[in-house]
Amino acid sequence: MPVLLIRSFQASSSAVLFFLLIVFVASPLVDARIHHHRWEVKYQFRSPDCFEKLSITINGQTPGPTIYAQQGDTVVVELKNSLLTENVAVHWHGIRQIGTPWSDGTEGVTQCPILPGDTFMYKFVVDRAGTYIYHAHYGMQRSAGLYGMIIVSVPNSVIEPFSYDYDRSILLNDWWHKSTYEQAAGLNSIPFVWVGEPQSLLINGRGKFNCSMAGTDQVCNTTNPQCSPYVLTVVPGKTYRLRIASISSLSAFNFELEGHNMTIVEADGHYVEPFVVKNLNIYSGETYSVLVKADQDPSRNYWAALNVVSRKPATPTGVGIINYYPNHPKKSPPSAPPTGPLWNDTEYRVKQSLAIKARKGYAIPPPPTSDRVITLLNTQNKINNHTRWAVNNISFTLPDTPYLVALKEGLHHAFNQSPAPDTYNNSDGYNIYDAPQNPNASYSNSIYRIEFNSTVDVVLQNANMMTPNNSETHPWHLHGHDFWVLGYGTGRFDPVKDRVKYNLVDPIMKNTVPLHPYGWTALRFRADNPGTWMFHCHIESHFFMGMGVVFAEGVERVGRLPTSIMGCGETKRFVRRP
C-alpha cells in the first residue's frame, strides 16, 4: 500500500475502518492461486486390464493426472491435441464455469473441437470444494481413456464437518477392447450393432482380463505391471476419506470394501447427512466421499470389489486390494471377492438414492415453487431404420456451429429455431411399461430457452425400450449447474400426487442423478448461470445415439467470446486467418 494512500485514510477513523474492512473481505482473493498444466493428448498402446490396445493418454497416462486445487483457485490447462486424425474437447464435470461458459469443454455446445496439432487453453475458477472429474466430450473418446479427477479442497480457514486421517481417490470405469470407432460405427449401422458388455472393470485404471480368451494375434500379458491390481494401503485404526468417482461409459456400479462399512459424507461437492452403507451404488458421472475406518483384523488383506448392477452382468468382478500395513501389498485376501447385491434389485438402489439428504446445517433450501416444468420422457426409437434414443420423441443432434456462439452472435440459421418440447406430445396416453407401438422419432438440434434467473423443474420419466420387459438406468448430468433432487418414484409420474411428495426441506444438491428403470426423478434448478448448457444421459453410447437436450439462459449477459472457441460451422467468419 503506498504511503500517501495510507496517510489519506488517517484523516478519518471511519475511513480507516472502511479500508480495513475492504482488506479483510478481499483477503481470500489474495490467497487464490493459479495452477498451470500442460497436457499432450495422444494415442498410446496401453494394457490397463493386461490386454494391449490403443488408448488415449494425457502426458502418457490413463487415467490422466489428478488436478489438485483449493476453492477459489484458477486452473489453466494448455491442451495440445496430438491425436493426429481426431478432434478433441475436454469437459470439467461438476465445475460450473461461472463467468467462463466457453471453458465448459462441450464440442458443439460451448466450443468448436480442438483440431489435430492445435493447442487450446482452458481457464476457469474452481468455486466450490469437492470431488469432481474431467473427461473427453467429443464423439465417444471418453471410453478410450481420456479422463481423470479434480480434487478441490476447502479454504485454509474452513473446517469440514467430519474428520479423517488420510485422503485417497478411487476412479471406477468399464473397459472395452474394441476401439471407439468400431463401437460408434456399430451404433450407427443398419442393422444395429450394440457395443456389448465391457470386457473388464477398472479400479484406478487397473483390471484383469482372462488372457486365455484373447485371440492368438492379440497381446495379453497378465504379468504386465500396468494391470497389477490397485492397492489401498491402510494403517490399522486410521480413518480414510475415499473420494469415489464413476467415469463408466455404460455400467451402473456397486462398490464394496470387504468387511468394512462406508459412511457417505459428500456427493457431487455437497455434504451429505452421514449414513452408513455396506456397499455404494454409483452411476456414471457421480462422485462421493465416504469415510472408512481400518478396523478389521490387520493380519490379512481384503478385497475392494466392483460389480455391475441394473444390467445383467457379463463382466467379471473388478478387484483391488485393501492392504493392512505391514502386510505385503500383493498378498491376496483369503476369501472370494464380494459379488454385491442382485443386479436387478431396483428397490434396493432406489432406497439408497432416497437416503441421500443434505447435511443438517449445510442444506440450501430450494425455491418453494418453480416457474416452469419440463417433463422429459426417455424412449428408444427408430429413425430411418437407425436405432436411436429420444427425449420427448426428439433424438438430439449437435450442430456444426456451437450454440454459445450462434446465440451470442445472432447466427439464426445455425440450428433449428423451433422450441424443444416441454413434454411428450402423447404424454397423457403413453404406457411406460409397453414397448413403443410407434417407435419412430425425429432428429433435431432445437434447444430449450430458459428465462434467466427463473426456477425450472425437470421431471425425468423412464419407459420400456423397444425390447419387451426392459427399462434401463439413465444417469443424467447437467452442465453449468447444481440442482436439487426433489424425489424419485416408480411408475408413471403423477403431477398431482407425486409433486406433493417433493422433499423441499433437505434435498441434496447434485450435478448427476440416476433415472431408475420404469421410474421418475424430479429435480429443480435456478437458471442463473449465463450460457448454453448440455443436459444429457451420461452413458456414452446413449448420448451418442441422441439422449440429450440443451438449455440456454442469459446468453446476452455472457462476456466477449474468445476466438479460440471458433473456427467451425458459421464461426469461421469470426476467426482471423494469417
Side-chain angles (χ1 to χ4, degrees):
M1 186 79 179
V3 174
L4 288 178
L5 186 56
I6 292 177
R7 287 177 178 170
S8 68
F9 276 109
Q10 289 174 343
S12 168
S13 60
S14 61
V16 172
L17 291 173
F18 177 78
F19 169 70
L20 293 175
L21 178 62
I22 293 297
V23 171
F24 174 77
V25 171
S27 60
L29 300 178
V30 176
D31 296 333
R33 293 169 294 177
I34 300 177
H35 303 269
H36 289 273
H37 301 269
R38 288 187 177 181
W39 288 359
E40 183 180 16
V41 173
K42 64 180 179 180
Y43 274 109
Q44 291 183 300
F45 284 103
R46 305 290 293 176
S47 304
D49 68 345
C50 306
F51 183 98
E52 186 179 78
K53 64 165 285 188
L54 273 177
S55 307
I56 299 180
T57 63
I58 300 174
N59 297 345
Q61 302 178 43
T62 178
T66 298
I67 293 175
Y68 294 96
Q70 193 172 52
Q71 180 178 327
D73 289 352
T74 297
V75 173
V76 179
V77 178
E78 294 182 46
L79 191 152
K80 181 181 179 181
N81 179 9
S82 295
L83 294 179
L84 301 180
T85 60
E86 290 183 53
N87 300 332
V88 75
V90 174
H91 169 54
W92 316 96
H93 183 119
I95 307 301
R96 292 178 292 179
Q97 301 293 348
I98 297 173
T100 54
W102 47 80
S103 281
D104 188 54
T106 315
E107 179 263 335
V109 179
T110 61
Q111 71 168 100
C112 292
I114 308 167
L115 300 177
D118 282 0
T119 297
F120 184 89
M121 181 181 291
Y122 291 102
K123 184 177 182 180
F124 52 88
V125 173
V126 288
D127 65 294
R128 190 185 60 253
T131 307
Y132 309 103
I133 51 181
Y134 64 83
H135 57 80
H137 220 292
Y138 179 84
M140 295 180 66
Q141 289 176 343
R142 190 177 89 218
S143 63
L146 208 174
Y147 48 76
M149 295 191 72
I150 306 172
I151 307 300
V152 183
S153 58
V154 296
N156 293 334
S157 59
V158 174
I159 299 176
E160 293 190 279
F162 46 83
S163 60
Y164 50 91
D165 299 298
Y166 299 102
D167 195 328
R168 300 288 184 267
S169 300
I170 296 179
L171 188 58
L172 310 175
N173 196 26
D174 43 14
W175 192 249
W176 283 258
H177 293 166
K178 285 186 176 180
S179 70
T180 55
Y181 280 117
E182 291 174 282
Q183 293 184 49
L187 296 176
N188 205 39
S189 294
I190 302 175
F192 176 72
V193 180
W194 176 235
V195 299
E197 300 304 310
Q199 275 67 63
S200 301
L201 305 181
L202 308 183
I203 300 177
N204 277 351
R206 295 168 179 269
K208 189 74 70 175
F209 180 68
N210 183 354
C211 286
S212 66
M213 299 175 63
T216 56
D217 59 340
Q218 304 292 338
V219 177
C220 192
N221 181 6
T222 57
T223 64
N224 191 322
Q226 293 179 16
C227 61
S228 60
Y230 166 70
V231 176
L232 172 65
T233 298
V234 298
V235 177
K238 298 297 183 180
T239 298
Y240 291 78
R241 177 184 188 169
L242 302 184
R243 300 175 183 265
I244 305 171
S246 171
I247 199 70
S248 70
S249 294
L250 171 65
S251 309
F253 288 143
N254 182 271
F255 182 69
E256 184 171 345
L257 302 175
E258 181 192 11
H260 297 72
N261 287 329
M262 294 181 279
T263 303
I264 300 176
V265 294
E266 179 218 345
D268 290 0
H270 293 275
Y271 295 136
V272 171
E273 183 64 21
F275 70 101
V276 177
V277 295
K278 178 185 177 184
N279 44 54
L280 174 69
N281 297 309
I282 183 169
Y283 307 90
S284 178
E286 287 192 313
T287 66
Y288 287 97
S289 283
V290 302
L291 300 182
V292 178
K293 188 170 183 179
D295 57 2
Q296 297 301 298
D297 179 1
S299 67
R300 53 161 292 192
N301 289 342
Y302 298 82
W303 292 112
L306 185 62
N307 288 287
V308 171
V309 290
S310 187
R311 302 179 65 86
K312 188 174 183 178
T315 310
T317 299
V319 296
I321 295 176
I322 307 169
N323 166 230
Y324 267 75
Y325 182 83
N327 295 331
H328 194 284
K330 293 185 179 180
K331 181 181 179 182
S332 292
S335 53
T339 56
L342 291 175
W343 69 270
N344 57 356
D345 189 350
T346 302
E347 183 181 0
Y348 166 76
R349 290 183 287 110
V350 172
K351 284 182 177 179
Q352 193 170 105
S353 293
L354 285 167
I356 300 172
K357 312 287 187 185
R359 187 169 184 129
K360 292 180 177 63
Y362 293 86
I364 303 173
T369 59
S370 64
D371 303 300
R372 182 176 178 181
V373 178
I374 299 173
T375 302
L376 302 179
L377 175 67
N378 295 213
T379 57
Q380 195 180 50
N381 299 78
K382 289 281 189 180
I383 303 179
N384 300 327
N385 287 324
H386 287 279
T387 300
R388 300 285 295 181
W389 282 97
V391 178
N392 290 348
N393 219 39
I394 300 295
S395 187
F396 177 76
T397 59
L398 283 166
D400 294 329
T401 303
Y403 292 107
L404 182 63
V405 185
L407 290 169
K408 182 69 174 175
E409 303 296 340
L411 306 176
H412 302 298
H413 302 291
F415 65 92
N416 187 341
Q417 298 295 301
S418 301
D422 278 18
T423 187
Y424 185 67
N425 60 10
N426 187 31
S427 59
D428 290 340
Y430 194 90
N431 187 340
I432 66 168
Y433 296 102
D434 283 350
Q437 300 301 307
N438 179 14
N440 294 320
S442 301
Y443 291 115
S444 180
N445 56 22
S446 59
I447 64 174
Y448 292 86
R449 298 173 189 251
I450 309 295
E451 183 179 348
F452 184 69
N453 261 337
S454 64
T455 300
V456 181
D457 278 4
V458 176
V459 178
L460 295 163
Q461 176 69 67
N462 214 339
N464 201 94
M465 299 168 58
M466 289 190 294
T467 305
N469 303 314
N470 193 0
S471 180
E472 295 191 348
T473 300
H474 301 289
W476 276 79
H477 169 59
L478 177 58
H479 294 218
H481 300 79
D482 292 334
F483 49 74
W484 290 274
V485 183
L486 301 183
Y488 302 87
T490 55
R492 185 190 173 113
F493 179 79
D494 186 316
V496 176
K497 295 180 180 178
D498 290 327
R499 200 165 287 160
V500 297
K501 302 175 186 175
Y502 283 177
N503 177 12
L504 301 178
V505 178
D506 56 357
I508 190 66
M509 295 190 77
K510 297 180 95 273
N511 61 64
T512 306
V513 67
L515 174 61
H516 295 288
Y518 297 114
W520 57 265
T521 300
L523 56 94
R524 179 170 294 174
F525 73 95
R526 290 281 294 174
D528 55 3
N529 191 7
T532 54
W533 308 108
M534 197 77 228
F535 183 44
H536 62 101
C537 178
H538 211 255
I539 292 175
E540 194 81 323
S541 52
H542 290 186
F543 178 48
F544 180 84
M545 295 165 64
M547 189 180 283
V549 301
V550 168
F551 297 137
E553 62 202 59
V555 176
E556 69 282 357
R557 298 169 179 261
V558 174
R560 184 176 180 180
L561 300 179
T563 57
S564 60
I565 68 170
M566 305 178 191
C568 59
E570 294 191 30
T571 70
K572 294 176 182 177
R573 72 178 83 168
F574 298 105
V575 181
R576 293 182 180 179
R577 298 296 183 187

